[in-house]
Amino acid sequence: MIIAVDGPAAAGKGTIARALAQHFGYHHLDTGTLYRRVGLELLKSDGDIHDAKVATAIAQNLHAYAWLDYELRTEAVGAAASIVASIPEVRAALLDFQRSFAEQKPGAVLDGRDIGTVVCPNAHVKLFITASPEVRASRRLAELQESGADVTFEAVLQDIRQRDERDKNRTVAPLVPAKDAVVINTSEMTAEEAISAAVRAASSAR
Ligand code: DC
């Protein structure tokens, strides 16, 4: 059983995917962390963030790098992840790992941008979680402020819009709902309401 949870940055897909995995007793993979790890290593190396060769070499040897969770969650690393994610060789290098993860018993929930379209086109359940850019920016701002970051709403909104633009318009595996995905717009929902809607949608599609 594979559940694909896709959607733009800060729409709530991580929270929903974790809750679905817990509800059904499945494994969970946040695929964004794979791209974030590549982006983080590139930033640490002081190399050119657009260097496809170096980014691909990092993606092919991702297990060799150590990182701290909090390092991955910064806006700078999110933006770097979105840049390296547009390199086809980087995406190809991360594909096998994601597909093997998805095959685990009794099931797996993967969240990202292209799970229902490219990584697991045969997923049993496909959800596309979205929300307005303003709502996503205010949620992300609250998270960042909680972790002590000094950022403004405008800066976060601009970052979200840039990331949407890049994720939607890249040539490989762009962010787009799978034709058979159930779309859940969480703009007007609390986290609990969004989780309930996702559990209902997943239960009826299973
Ligand atoms: O979900 P996130 O914010 O952690 O993802 C960071 C970036 O990684 C995102 O802007 C695009 C990229 N990404 C991707 O291209 N495909 C995925 N399956 C997951 C993330």
Side-chain angles (χ1 to χ4, degrees):
M1 174 61 58
I2 300 174
I3 302 181
V5 183
D6 289 306
K13 59 186 186 311
T15 306
I16 286 174
R18 269 192 303 278
L20 285 172
Q22 201 180 12
H23 181 88
F24 294 114
Y26 293 169
H27 304 275
H28 169 232
L29 179 65
D30 167 1
T31 64
T33 61
L34 303 175
Y35 295 93
R36 282 175 182 265
R37 283 168 61 188
V38 177
L40 174 64
E41 291 309 325
L42 252 179
L43 291 178
K44 276 185 181 170
S45 74
D46 278 338
D48 174 6
I49 192 72
H50 297 278
D51 189 332
K53 248 186 163 162
V54 176
T56 306
I58 294 171
Q60 286 167 341
N61 287 292
L62 210 50
H63 55 275
Y65 298 94
W67 74 98
L68 297 168
D69 276 341
Y70 79 87
E71 292 182 297
L72 292 178
R73 305 310 324 162
T74 67
E75 287 303 276
V77 170
S82 167
I83 292 170
V84 298
S86 65
I87 302 169
E89 294 83 356
V90 167
R91 305 199 70 84
L94 300 175
L95 204 50
D96 282 352
F97 172 75
Q98 295 176 82
R99 286 189 174 150
S100 313
F101 188 97
E103 291 304 323
Q104 293 180 100
K105 303 265 177 280
V109 183
L110 283 80
D111 72 84
R113 301 290 188 290
D114 62 338
I115 308 303
T117 51
V118 175
V119 178
C120 304
N122 297 325
H124 307 85
V125 178
K126 296 182 187 178
L127 305 179
F128 191 87
I129 312 299
T130 189
S132 73
E134 290 76 13
V135 167
R136 290 186 282 129
S138 57
R139 287 180 189 158
R140 183 51 59 85
L141 180 70
E143 264 172 36
L144 289 167
Q145 284 176 336
E146 214 168 283
S147 63
D150 180 21
V151 279
T152 63
F153 175 79
E154 286 68 30
V156 178
L157 180 60
Q158 193 191 356
D159 183 69
I160 291 233
R161 286 194 199 281
Q162 266 174 5
R163 215 121 73 79
D164 283 359
E165 201 52 32
R166 238 187 336 252
D167 294 348
K168 283 182 191 164
N169 294 317
R170 66 182 176 223
T171 47
V172 271
L175 171 67
V176 58
K179 286 195 177 64
D180 48 350
V182 176
V183 178
I184 300 177
N185 188 323
T186 67
S187 296
E188 311 267 307
M189 294 180 184
T190 62
E192 290 70 28
E193 288 167 342
I195 290 167
S196 300
V199 168
R200 267 199 310 279
S203 301
S204 60
R206 250 162 35 114

